Every structure is written in C-alpha cells, then in structure tokens.
mmCIF file of all heavy atoms in Angstrom:
data_model
loop_
_atom_site.group_PDB
_atom_site.id
_atom_site.type_symbol
_atom_site.label_atom_id
_atom_site.label_comp_id
_atom_site.label_asym_id
_atom_site.label_seq_id
_atom_site.Cartn_x
_atom_site.Cartn_y
_atom_site.Cartn_z
ATOM 1 N N GLY A 1 0.749 -1.241 0.019
ATOM 2 C CA GLY A 1 -0.035 0.004 0.026
ATOM 3 C C GLY A 1 0.832 1.265 0.007
ATOM 4 O O GLY A 1 0.320 2.406 0.251
ATOM 5 N N GLY A 2 2.168 1.131 -0.199
ATOM 6 C CA GLY A 2 2.953 2.324 -0.292
ATOM 7 C C GLY A 2 2.721 3.165 -1.447
ATOM 8 O O GLY A 2 2.635 2.711 -2.588
ATOM 9 N N THR A 3 2.753 4.414 -1.247
ATOM 10 C CA THR A 3 2.713 5.433 -2.346
ATOM 11 C C THR A 3 3.645 6.586 -2.070
ATOM 12 O O THR A 3 4.291 6.675 -1.040
ATOM 13 C CB THR A 3 1.260 6.030 -2.409
ATOM 14 O OG1 THR A 3 0.953 6.666 -1.197
ATOM 15 C CG2 THR A 3 0.225 4.980 -2.704
ATOM 16 N N GLY A 4 3.798 7.494 -3.052
ATOM 17 C CA GLY A 4 4.605 8.695 -2.957
ATOM 18 C C GLY A 4 5.878 8.480 -2.282
ATOM 19 O O GLY A 4 6.792 7.641 -2.894
ATOM 20 N N PRO A 5 6.230 8.949 -1.156
ATOM 21 C CA PRO A 5 7.549 8.806 -0.509
ATOM 22 C C PRO A 5 8.002 7.477 -0.312
ATOM 23 O O PRO A 5 9.183 7.206 -0.397
ATOM 24 C CB PRO A 5 7.384 9.622 0.854
ATOM 25 C CG PRO A 5 6.346 10.519 0.590
ATOM 26 C CD PRO A 5 5.348 9.904 -0.274
ATOM 27 N N ALA A 6 7.032 6.412 -0.016
ATOM 28 C CA ALA A 6 7.432 5.080 0.169
ATOM 29 C C ALA A 6 7.985 4.558 -1.153
ATOM 30 O O ALA A 6 8.973 3.775 -1.137
ATOM 31 C CB ALA A 6 6.245 4.296 0.604
ATOM 32 N N ILE A 7 7.404 4.859 -2.294
ATOM 33 C CA ILE A 7 7.906 4.406 -3.588
ATOM 34 C C ILE A 7 9.273 5.114 -3.882
ATOM 35 O O ILE A 7 10.240 4.428 -4.287
ATOM 36 C CB ILE A 7 6.939 4.805 -4.703
ATOM 37 C CG1 ILE A 7 5.577 4.066 -4.470
ATOM 38 C CG2 ILE A 7 7.543 4.371 -6.056
ATOM 39 C CD1 ILE A 7 5.617 2.483 -4.460
ATOM 40 N N ALA A 8 9.343 6.381 -3.423
ATOM 41 C CA ALA A 8 10.752 7.045 -3.701
ATOM 42 C C ALA A 8 11.762 6.387 -2.848
ATOM 43 O O ALA A 8 12.913 6.293 -3.329
ATOM 44 C CB ALA A 8 10.511 8.547 -3.272
ATOM 45 N N MET A 9 11.499 5.899 -1.597
ATOM 46 C CA MET A 9 12.418 5.332 -0.853
ATOM 47 C C MET A 9 12.856 4.026 -1.475
ATOM 48 O O MET A 9 14.091 3.782 -1.422
ATOM 49 C CB MET A 9 11.950 5.024 0.649
ATOM 50 C CG MET A 9 12.894 4.383 1.593
ATOM 51 S SD MET A 9 12.225 4.287 3.224
ATOM 52 C CE MET A 9 13.609 3.471 4.009
ATOM 53 N N ALA A 10 12.013 3.228 -1.941
ATOM 54 C CA ALA A 10 12.291 1.975 -2.739
ATOM 55 C C ALA A 10 13.011 2.239 -3.931
ATOM 56 O O ALA A 10 14.083 1.463 -4.288
ATOM 57 C CB ALA A 10 11.023 1.165 -2.852
ATOM 58 N N GLU A 11 12.792 3.409 -4.612
ATOM 59 C CA GLU A 11 13.482 3.670 -5.781
ATOM 60 C C GLU A 11 14.938 3.960 -5.606
ATOM 61 O O GLU A 11 15.716 3.888 -6.522
ATOM 62 C CB GLU A 11 12.825 4.920 -6.463
ATOM 63 C CG GLU A 11 11.420 4.680 -7.108
ATOM 64 C CD GLU A 11 11.609 4.188 -8.541
ATOM 65 O OE1 GLU A 11 12.738 3.958 -8.972
ATOM 66 O OE2 GLU A 11 10.562 3.962 -9.117
ATOM 67 N N THR A 12 15.378 4.359 -4.379
ATOM 68 C CA THR A 12 16.682 4.617 -4.178
ATOM 69 C C THR A 12 17.646 3.360 -4.444
ATOM 70 O O THR A 12 18.782 3.405 -4.795
ATOM 71 C CB THR A 12 16.947 5.103 -2.726
ATOM 72 O OG1 THR A 12 16.587 4.157 -1.798
ATOM 73 C CG2 THR A 12 16.327 6.414 -2.474
ATOM 74 N N MET A 13 16.950 2.222 -4.251
ATOM 75 C CA MET A 13 17.677 0.926 -4.577
ATOM 76 C C MET A 13 18.004 0.787 -6.022
ATOM 77 O O MET A 13 18.898 -0.097 -6.382
ATOM 78 C CB MET A 13 16.937 -0.159 -4.083
ATOM 79 C CG MET A 13 16.747 -0.188 -2.527
ATOM 80 S SD MET A 13 15.729 -1.568 -1.872
ATOM 81 C CE MET A 13 16.792 -3.037 -2.424
ATOM 82 N N ARG A 14 17.370 1.463 -6.869
ATOM 83 C CA ARG A 14 17.787 1.407 -8.399
ATOM 84 C C ARG A 14 19.195 2.000 -8.614
ATOM 85 O O ARG A 14 19.913 1.765 -9.563
ATOM 86 C CB ARG A 14 16.747 2.166 -9.261
ATOM 87 C CG ARG A 14 15.409 1.503 -9.360
ATOM 88 C CD ARG A 14 14.626 2.272 -10.427
ATOM 89 N NE ARG A 14 13.115 1.845 -10.468
ATOM 90 C CZ ARG A 14 12.750 0.884 -11.170
ATOM 91 N NH1 ARG A 14 13.658 0.194 -11.995
ATOM 92 N NH2 ARG A 14 11.435 0.575 -11.315
ATOM 93 N N HIS A 15 19.485 3.003 -7.729
ATOM 94 C CA HIS A 15 20.690 3.716 -7.976
ATOM 95 C C HIS A 15 21.870 3.519 -6.999
ATOM 96 O O HIS A 15 22.864 4.241 -7.138
ATOM 97 C CB HIS A 15 20.306 5.327 -7.883
ATOM 98 C CG HIS A 15 19.098 5.597 -8.757
ATOM 99 N ND1 HIS A 15 19.117 5.756 -10.123
ATOM 100 C CD2 HIS A 15 17.877 5.874 -8.360
ATOM 101 C CE1 HIS A 15 17.959 5.961 -10.672
ATOM 102 N NE2 HIS A 15 17.112 6.053 -9.687
ATOM 103 N N ASN A 16 21.667 2.575 -6.158
ATOM 104 C CA ASN A 16 22.732 2.246 -5.238
ATOM 105 C C ASN A 16 22.789 0.681 -4.988
ATOM 106 O O ASN A 16 21.857 -0.063 -5.152
ATOM 107 C CB ASN A 16 22.461 2.920 -3.879
ATOM 108 C CG ASN A 16 22.282 4.337 -3.945
ATOM 109 O OD1 ASN A 16 23.392 5.087 -3.877
ATOM 110 N ND2 ASN A 16 21.134 4.948 -4.075
ATOM 111 N N ALA A 17 24.071 0.261 -4.659
ATOM 112 C CA ALA A 17 24.234 -1.185 -4.595
ATOM 113 C C ALA A 17 25.539 -1.384 -3.732
ATOM 114 O O ALA A 17 26.355 -0.455 -3.625
ATOM 115 C CB ALA A 17 24.283 -2.089 -5.769
ATOM 116 N N ALA A 18 25.756 -2.566 -3.259
ATOM 117 C CA ALA A 18 26.891 -2.871 -2.412
ATOM 118 C C ALA A 18 27.974 -3.558 -3.264
ATOM 119 O O ALA A 18 28.178 -4.814 -3.182
ATOM 120 C CB ALA A 18 26.500 -3.779 -1.249
ATOM 121 N N TYR A 19 28.539 -2.797 -4.176
ATOM 122 C CA TYR A 19 29.616 -3.405 -4.990
ATOM 123 C C TYR A 19 30.752 -3.603 -4.178
ATOM 124 O O TYR A 19 30.972 -3.073 -3.060
ATOM 125 C CB TYR A 19 29.884 -2.412 -6.252
ATOM 126 C CG TYR A 19 28.686 -2.238 -7.006
ATOM 127 C CD1 TYR A 19 28.022 -0.923 -7.134
ATOM 128 C CD2 TYR A 19 28.122 -3.368 -7.816
ATOM 129 C CE1 TYR A 19 26.959 -0.798 -7.895
ATOM 130 C CE2 TYR A 19 26.921 -3.190 -8.550
ATOM 131 C CZ TYR A 19 26.335 -1.864 -8.712
ATOM 132 O OH TYR A 19 25.168 -1.810 -9.322
ATOM 133 N N GLU A 20 31.713 -4.381 -4.703
ATOM 134 C CA GLU A 20 32.857 -4.807 -3.793
ATOM 135 C C GLU A 20 34.108 -3.869 -4.091
ATOM 136 O O GLU A 20 34.573 -3.665 -5.270
ATOM 137 C CB GLU A 20 33.306 -6.256 -4.275
ATOM 138 C CG GLU A 20 32.354 -7.252 -3.610
ATOM 139 C CD GLU A 20 32.438 -7.236 -2.192
ATOM 140 O OE1 GLU A 20 33.539 -6.975 -1.531
ATOM 141 O OE2 GLU A 20 31.390 -7.339 -1.477
ATOM 142 N N PRO A 21 34.586 -3.244 -3.044
ATOM 143 C CA PRO A 21 35.871 -2.468 -3.185
ATOM 144 C C PRO A 21 37.103 -3.132 -3.882
ATOM 145 O O PRO A 21 37.754 -2.546 -4.607
ATOM 146 C CB PRO A 21 36.196 -2.100 -1.684
ATOM 147 C CG PRO A 21 34.957 -2.206 -0.965
ATOM 148 C CD PRO A 21 34.182 -3.348 -1.562
ATOM 149 N N LYS A 22 37.109 -4.531 -3.692
ATOM 150 C CA LYS A 22 38.283 -5.212 -4.279
ATOM 151 C C LYS A 22 38.310 -5.170 -5.852
ATOM 152 O O LYS A 22 39.285 -5.365 -6.536
ATOM 153 C CB LYS A 22 38.223 -6.683 -3.876
ATOM 154 C CG LYS A 22 36.984 -7.457 -4.389
ATOM 155 C CD LYS A 22 37.073 -8.859 -3.873
ATOM 156 C CE LYS A 22 35.854 -9.696 -4.207
ATOM 157 N NZ LYS A 22 35.813 -11.007 -3.713
ATOM 158 N N ARG A 23 37.106 -4.768 -6.453
ATOM 159 C CA ARG A 23 37.132 -4.672 -7.982
ATOM 160 C C ARG A 23 38.022 -3.412 -8.419
ATOM 161 O O ARG A 23 38.411 -3.377 -9.637
ATOM 162 C CB ARG A 23 35.669 -4.557 -8.399
ATOM 163 C CG ARG A 23 34.859 -5.671 -8.284
ATOM 164 C CD ARG A 23 35.320 -6.913 -9.117
ATOM 165 N NE ARG A 23 35.367 -6.533 -10.526
ATOM 166 C CZ ARG A 23 36.392 -6.567 -11.388
ATOM 167 N NH1 ARG A 23 37.651 -6.796 -10.876
ATOM 168 N NH2 ARG A 23 36.341 -6.367 -12.669
ATOM 169 N N MET A 24 38.449 -2.594 -7.560
ATOM 170 C CA MET A 24 39.238 -1.520 -7.864
ATOM 171 C C MET A 24 40.661 -1.987 -8.154
ATOM 172 O O MET A 24 41.449 -1.330 -8.915
ATOM 173 C CB MET A 24 39.370 -0.464 -6.791
ATOM 174 C CG MET A 24 38.100 0.376 -6.538
ATOM 175 S SD MET A 24 38.333 1.798 -5.366
ATOM 176 C CE MET A 24 38.445 0.903 -3.764
ATOM 177 N N LEU A 25 41.011 -3.133 -7.800
ATOM 178 C CA LEU A 25 42.359 -3.667 -7.943
ATOM 179 C C LEU A 25 42.818 -3.815 -9.470
ATOM 180 O O LEU A 25 43.894 -3.422 -9.827
ATOM 181 C CB LEU A 25 42.686 -5.001 -7.168
ATOM 182 C CG LEU A 25 42.523 -4.800 -5.562
ATOM 183 C CD1 LEU A 25 42.610 -6.273 -4.881
ATOM 184 C CD2 LEU A 25 43.711 -3.994 -5.070
ATOM 185 N N ASP A 26 41.889 -4.256 -10.117
ATOM 186 C CA ASP A 26 42.134 -4.559 -11.500
ATOM 187 C C ASP A 26 42.355 -3.152 -12.332
ATOM 188 O O ASP A 26 42.894 -3.238 -13.436
ATOM 189 C CB ASP A 26 41.065 -5.308 -12.263
ATOM 190 C CG ASP A 26 41.012 -6.715 -11.732
ATOM 191 O OD1 ASP A 26 42.068 -7.267 -11.207
ATOM 192 O OD2 ASP A 26 40.062 -7.513 -11.811
ATOM 193 N N PHE A 27 41.939 -2.103 -11.667
ATOM 194 C CA PHE A 27 41.905 -0.770 -12.439
ATOM 195 C C PHE A 27 42.922 0.105 -11.785
ATOM 196 O O PHE A 27 43.113 1.302 -12.323
ATOM 197 C CB PHE A 27 40.594 -0.145 -12.470
ATOM 198 C CG PHE A 27 39.493 -1.105 -13.175
ATOM 199 C CD1 PHE A 27 38.772 -2.152 -12.532
ATOM 200 C CD2 PHE A 27 39.116 -0.811 -14.599
ATOM 201 C CE1 PHE A 27 37.920 -2.970 -13.263
ATOM 202 C CE2 PHE A 27 38.294 -1.519 -15.252
ATOM 203 C CZ PHE A 27 37.648 -2.552 -14.521
ATOM 204 N N MET A 28 43.611 -0.399 -10.782
ATOM 205 C CA MET A 28 44.376 0.513 -9.949
ATOM 206 C C MET A 28 45.407 1.297 -10.747
ATOM 207 O O MET A 28 45.755 2.576 -10.471
ATOM 208 C CB MET A 28 45.132 -0.298 -8.845
ATOM 209 C CG MET A 28 45.559 0.609 -7.714
ATOM 210 S SD MET A 28 44.276 1.445 -6.818
ATOM 211 C CE MET A 28 43.415 0.096 -5.858
ATOM 212 N N PRO A 29 46.104 0.792 -11.806
ATOM 213 C CA PRO A 29 47.083 1.617 -12.582
ATOM 214 C C PRO A 29 46.550 2.951 -13.140
ATOM 215 O O PRO A 29 47.228 3.807 -13.428
ATOM 216 C CB PRO A 29 47.518 0.661 -13.603
ATOM 217 C CG PRO A 29 47.350 -0.701 -13.082
ATOM 218 C CD PRO A 29 46.088 -0.546 -12.344
ATOM 219 N N ARG A 30 45.164 2.979 -13.335
ATOM 220 C CA ARG A 30 44.521 4.159 -13.896
ATOM 221 C C ARG A 30 43.621 4.887 -12.940
ATOM 222 O O ARG A 30 43.001 5.809 -13.271
ATOM 223 C CB ARG A 30 43.752 3.769 -15.191
ATOM 224 C CG ARG A 30 44.473 3.337 -16.375
ATOM 225 C CD ARG A 30 43.676 3.373 -17.624
ATOM 226 N NE ARG A 30 44.562 2.916 -18.889
ATOM 227 C CZ ARG A 30 45.084 3.714 -19.594
ATOM 228 N NH1 ARG A 30 45.060 5.004 -19.343
ATOM 229 N NH2 ARG A 30 45.699 3.378 -20.719
ATOM 230 N N ILE A 31 43.783 4.512 -11.669
ATOM 231 C CA ILE A 31 43.024 5.259 -10.559
ATOM 232 C C ILE A 31 44.018 6.197 -9.976
ATOM 233 O O ILE A 31 44.981 5.776 -9.336
ATOM 234 C CB ILE A 31 42.371 4.283 -9.537
ATOM 235 C CG1 ILE A 31 41.350 3.351 -10.117
ATOM 236 C CG2 ILE A 31 41.839 5.095 -8.337
ATOM 237 C CD1 ILE A 31 40.789 2.362 -9.218
ATOM 238 N N HIS A 32 43.680 7.509 -10.041
ATOM 239 C CA HIS A 32 44.631 8.620 -9.692
ATOM 240 C C HIS A 32 43.959 9.455 -8.534
ATOM 241 O O HIS A 32 44.668 10.255 -8.000
ATOM 242 C CB HIS A 32 45.092 9.334 -10.761
ATOM 243 C CG HIS A 32 45.772 8.520 -11.739
ATOM 244 N ND1 HIS A 32 46.948 7.792 -11.546
ATOM 245 C CD2 HIS A 32 45.342 8.216 -13.062
ATOM 246 C CE1 HIS A 32 47.358 7.234 -12.626
ATOM 247 N NE2 HIS A 32 46.393 7.415 -13.598
ATOM 248 N N ASN A 33 42.692 9.421 -8.321
ATOM 249 C CA ASN A 33 41.995 10.299 -7.436
ATOM 250 C C ASN A 33 40.710 9.641 -6.952
ATOM 251 O O ASN A 33 40.169 8.786 -7.693
ATOM 252 C CB ASN A 33 41.789 11.641 -7.974
ATOM 253 C CG ASN A 33 41.273 12.645 -6.855
ATOM 254 O OD1 ASN A 33 41.736 12.568 -5.717
ATOM 255 N ND2 ASN A 33 40.550 13.693 -7.207
ATOM 256 N N ILE A 34 40.297 9.836 -5.696
ATOM 257 C CA ILE A 34 39.149 9.213 -5.239
ATOM 258 C C ILE A 34 38.207 10.196 -4.491
ATOM 259 O O ILE A 34 38.558 11.132 -3.799
ATOM 260 C CB ILE A 34 39.497 8.074 -4.206
ATOM 261 C CG1 ILE A 34 40.035 6.893 -4.846
ATOM 262 C CG2 ILE A 34 38.374 7.626 -3.278
ATOM 263 C CD1 ILE A 34 40.774 5.807 -4.124
ATOM 264 N N HIS A 35 36.853 10.113 -4.755
ATOM 265 C CA HIS A 35 35.907 10.761 -4.006
ATOM 266 C C HIS A 35 35.381 9.986 -2.859
ATOM 267 O O HIS A 35 34.792 8.983 -3.013
ATOM 268 C CB HIS A 35 34.666 11.048 -4.899
ATOM 269 C CG HIS A 35 34.820 12.201 -5.825
ATOM 270 N ND1 HIS A 35 33.978 12.732 -6.665
ATOM 271 C CD2 HIS A 35 36.067 13.010 -5.984
ATOM 272 C CE1 HIS A 35 34.534 13.865 -7.374
ATOM 273 N NE2 HIS A 35 35.798 13.966 -6.900
ATOM 274 N N GLY A 36 35.851 10.449 -1.589
ATOM 275 C CA GLY A 36 35.314 9.781 -0.417
ATOM 276 C C GLY A 36 33.842 10.030 0.041
ATOM 277 O O GLY A 36 33.678 10.802 0.980
ATOM 278 N N LYS A 37 32.929 9.652 -0.785
ATOM 279 C CA LYS A 37 31.527 9.906 -0.389
ATOM 280 C C LYS A 37 31.182 9.444 0.847
ATOM 281 O O LYS A 37 31.589 8.371 1.347
ATOM 282 C CB LYS A 37 30.672 9.164 -1.605
ATOM 283 C CG LYS A 37 29.194 9.276 -1.377
ATOM 284 C CD LYS A 37 28.682 10.669 -1.726
ATOM 285 C CE LYS A 37 28.919 11.095 -3.072
ATOM 286 N NZ LYS A 37 28.308 10.339 -4.053
ATOM 287 N N PHE A 38 30.371 10.234 1.664
ATOM 288 C CA PHE A 38 29.882 9.691 2.915
ATOM 289 C C PHE A 38 28.564 10.535 3.147
ATOM 290 O O PHE A 38 28.389 11.563 2.796
ATOM 291 C CB PHE A 38 30.854 9.848 4.070
ATOM 292 C CG PHE A 38 31.159 11.196 4.526
ATOM 293 C CD1 PHE A 38 30.539 11.753 5.658
ATOM 294 C CD2 PHE A 38 32.001 11.935 3.840
ATOM 295 C CE1 PHE A 38 30.873 12.984 6.096
ATOM 296 C CE2 PHE A 38 32.330 13.315 4.263
ATOM 297 C CZ PHE A 38 31.826 13.851 5.414
ATOM 298 N N TYR A 39 27.673 9.801 3.965
ATOM 299 C CA TYR A 39 26.358 10.337 4.212
ATOM 300 C C TYR A 39 26.275 10.748 5.723
ATOM 301 O O TYR A 39 25.367 11.564 6.170
ATOM 302 C CB TYR A 39 25.208 9.338 3.784
ATOM 303 C CG TYR A 39 25.255 9.178 2.417
ATOM 304 C CD1 TYR A 39 25.754 7.944 1.822
ATOM 305 C CD2 TYR A 39 24.669 10.013 1.481
ATOM 306 C CE1 TYR A 39 25.740 7.774 0.474
ATOM 307 C CE2 TYR A 39 24.678 9.855 0.078
ATOM 308 C CZ TYR A 39 25.217 8.665 -0.466
ATOM 309 O OH TYR A 39 25.249 8.474 -1.764
ATOM 310 N N GLN A 40 27.018 10.128 6.494
ATOM 311 C CA GLN A 40 26.919 10.401 7.955
ATOM 312 C C GLN A 40 28.184 9.772 8.680
ATOM 313 O O GLN A 40 28.576 8.709 8.331
ATOM 314 C CB GLN A 40 25.715 9.551 8.548
ATOM 315 C CG GLN A 40 25.582 9.853 10.061
ATOM 316 C CD GLN A 40 24.318 8.962 10.501
ATOM 317 O OE1 GLN A 40 23.849 8.224 9.856
ATOM 318 N NE2 GLN A 40 24.043 9.200 11.815
ATOM 319 N N MET A 41 28.801 10.733 9.524
ATOM 320 C CA MET A 41 29.912 10.233 10.361
ATOM 321 C C MET A 41 29.387 10.340 11.800
ATOM 322 O O MET A 41 28.969 11.344 12.231
ATOM 323 C CB MET A 41 31.119 11.082 10.174
ATOM 324 C CG MET A 41 31.882 10.971 8.973
ATOM 325 S SD MET A 41 32.416 9.255 8.528
ATOM 326 C CE MET A 41 33.348 8.879 9.957
ATOM 327 N N THR A 42 29.422 9.147 12.412
ATOM 328 C CA THR A 42 28.920 9.158 13.874
ATOM 329 C C THR A 42 29.992 9.790 14.785
ATOM 330 O O THR A 42 31.103 10.044 14.406
ATOM 331 C CB THR A 42 28.631 7.754 14.393
ATOM 332 O OG1 THR A 42 29.839 6.925 14.292
ATOM 333 C CG2 THR A 42 27.582 7.073 13.383
ATOM 334 N N GLU A 43 29.537 9.936 16.085
ATOM 335 C CA GLU A 43 30.560 10.599 17.047
ATOM 336 C C GLU A 43 31.763 9.665 17.267
ATOM 337 O O GLU A 43 32.779 10.291 17.726
ATOM 338 C CB GLU A 43 29.812 10.897 18.433
ATOM 339 C CG GLU A 43 28.660 12.004 18.167
ATOM 340 C CD GLU A 43 28.063 12.240 19.627
ATOM 341 O OE1 GLU A 43 28.419 11.614 20.567
ATOM 342 O OE2 GLU A 43 27.197 13.314 19.609
ATOM 343 N N ASP A 44 31.540 8.433 17.027
ATOM 344 C CA ASP A 44 32.823 7.594 17.262
ATOM 345 C C ASP A 44 33.440 7.286 15.893
ATOM 346 O O ASP A 44 34.118 6.274 15.703
ATOM 347 C CB ASP A 44 32.364 6.239 17.848
ATOM 348 C CG ASP A 44 31.232 5.425 17.197
ATOM 349 O OD1 ASP A 44 30.649 6.119 16.247
ATOM 350 O OD2 ASP A 44 30.905 4.381 17.505
ATOM 351 N N TYR A 45 33.252 8.126 14.844
ATOM 352 C CA TYR A 45 33.967 8.173 13.716
ATOM 353 C C TYR A 45 33.795 6.997 12.812
ATOM 354 O O TYR A 45 34.698 6.341 12.243
ATOM 355 C CB TYR A 45 35.495 8.355 14.010
ATOM 356 C CG TYR A 45 35.834 9.505 14.861
ATOM 357 C CD1 TYR A 45 36.183 9.444 16.165
ATOM 358 C CD2 TYR A 45 35.629 10.941 14.337
ATOM 359 C CE1 TYR A 45 36.404 10.505 16.936
ATOM 360 C CE2 TYR A 45 35.814 11.897 15.179
ATOM 361 C CZ TYR A 45 36.334 11.828 16.379
ATOM 362 O OH TYR A 45 36.609 12.864 17.195
ATOM 363 N N VAL A 46 32.454 6.613 12.608
ATOM 364 C CA VAL A 46 32.135 5.530 11.774
ATOM 365 C C VAL A 46 31.063 6.039 10.627
ATOM 366 O O VAL A 46 30.209 6.744 11.031
ATOM 367 C CB VAL A 46 31.424 4.324 12.679
ATOM 368 C CG1 VAL A 46 30.893 3.230 11.729
ATOM 369 C CG2 VAL A 46 32.481 3.780 13.580
ATOM 370 N N GLU A 47 31.346 5.678 9.430
ATOM 371 C CA GLU A 47 30.323 5.817 8.421
ATOM 372 C C GLU A 47 29.565 4.556 8.344
ATOM 373 O O GLU A 47 29.982 3.452 7.969
ATOM 374 C CB GLU A 47 31.039 6.016 7.115
ATOM 375 C CG GLU A 47 30.300 6.876 6.104
ATOM 376 C CD GLU A 47 28.801 6.541 5.701
ATOM 377 O OE1 GLU A 47 28.519 5.517 6.001
ATOM 378 O OE2 GLU A 47 28.178 7.408 5.099
ATOM 379 N N PRO A 48 28.305 4.445 8.913
ATOM 380 C CA PRO A 48 27.517 3.390 9.005
ATOM 381 C C PRO A 48 27.037 2.531 7.761
ATOM 382 O O PRO A 48 26.682 1.412 7.859
ATOM 383 C CB PRO A 48 26.287 3.783 9.820
ATOM 384 C CG PRO A 48 26.063 5.181 9.484
ATOM 385 C CD PRO A 48 27.551 5.778 9.284
#
C-alpha cells in the first residue's frame, strides 16, 4: 500500500548497491584520485 515517499524510498535501490571495493584492484594503474563519499559520520568516527 505504499505510495509517494514510500515508492521514492524503494526507488533509491535502483541507483545504489553494495559493489565490492576489491574490484578497484584490476583498475588501480589508472586510478589517480578518489571521491570519499559519505552520508553520515557518527561521534565515534564511523560511516555506518
């Protein structure tokens, strides 16, 4: 029965996923800069 914001919340899953950091290894010779994206840092310095 979800509508509006509920559908929008589910839609975020179309644009995000848990890919593996180790996949960077095969491309490392051409990786020269990194964007350290984060959405929240807790008081104990953790990005959840």
Side-chain angles (χ1 to χ4, degrees):
T3 59
I7 299 298
M9 183 175 178
E11 286 277 0
T12 62
M13 294 181 61
R14 290 187 187 273
H15 308 287
N16 299 276
Y19 301 112
E20 282 299 319
K22 64 185 178 181
R23 289 300 295 121
M24 291 189 289
L25 292 174
D26 289 340
F27 299 84
M28 200 62 72
R30 288 192 183 270
I31 293 176
H32 302 294
N33 192 27
I34 285 174
H35 281 180
K37 177 71 60 61
F38 70 103
Y39 297 102
Q40 177 184 8
M41 291 299 307
T42 64
E43 292 183 357
D44 54 352
Y45 306 107
V46 172
E47 212 304 346

